Amino acid sequence: QVQLVESGGGLVQPGGSLRLSCVASGTIFSINVMAWYRQAPGKEREWVGSITSSDTTNYANSVKGRSTISRDNAKNTVYLQVNSLKPEDTAVYYCTLTQLGRKYWGQGTQVTVSS
């Protein structure tokens, strides 16, 4: 079993930056993919980006160029840095870990971009 706990959310002004963290615990294998998703009010959950255990990253077009996903395998932690935040970035952000064909979800952290 795997548990994921996100942190770092909050209220940010437009144009600001935020760094989210997600710590994984439990039985974690060396080969896995960690990812971030988000769900805005009244919208479907969308994929934000992902990082493999070999540090290959991919990003959604909506955040590409202003976001960075990184990970610290020693700490079983994945990070999402988002710059130039926009009101449309407001959402609950979730991290996931996928290993051996199974995806685990965290509880999410709220990010609100507003002046």
Side-chain angles (χ1 to χ4, degrees), residues 22 32 44 58 61 111 114:
C22 173
N32 60 64
E44 294 186 355
N58 286 285
N61 288 335
V111 172
S114 175

Side-chain angles (χ1 to χ4, degrees), residues 4-81:
L4 300 167
V5 179
E6 302 95 336
S7 62
L11 176 63
V12 186
Q13 290 190 342
S17 299
L18 204 61
R19 189 192 196 206
L20 305 180
S21 302
C22 173
V23 179
S25 61
T27 303
I28 299 168
F29 297 97
S30 59
I31 306 298
N32 60 64
V33 178
M34 299 191 79
W36 289 94
Y37 289 76
R38 67 184 182 184
Q39 187 166 20
K43 295 187 177 181
E44 294 186 355
R45 191 172 297 183
E46 67 168 345
W47 172 78
V48 175
S50 61
I51 184 167
T52 69
S53 46
S54 57
D55 288 339
T56 298
T57 55
N58 286 285
Y59 300 92
N61 288 335
S62 57
V63 300
K64 190 177 293 184
R66 59 189 183 95
S67 296
T68 302
I69 296 176
S70 59
R71 62 189 291 168
D72 183 336
N73 292 328
K75 297 180 179 180
N76 290 326
T77 301
V78 64
Y79 306 96
L80 171 65
Q81 173 83 30

Side-chain angles (χ1 to χ4, degrees), residues 60-105:
N61 288 335
S62 57
V63 300
K64 190 177 293 184
R66 59 189 183 95
S67 296
T68 302
I69 296 176
S70 59
R71 62 189 291 168
D72 183 336
N73 292 328
K75 297 180 179 180
N76 290 326
T77 301
V78 64
Y79 306 96
L80 171 65
Q81 173 83 30
V82 184
N83 304 316
S84 302
L85 282 160
K86 309 171 184 180
E88 51 263 43
D89 293 317
T90 295
V92 177
Y93 284 71
Y94 301 88
C95 75
T96 68
L97 184 148
T98 302
Q99 60 181 19
L100 300 179
R102 182 171 177 178
K103 178 174 285 183
Y104 300 87
W105 291 81

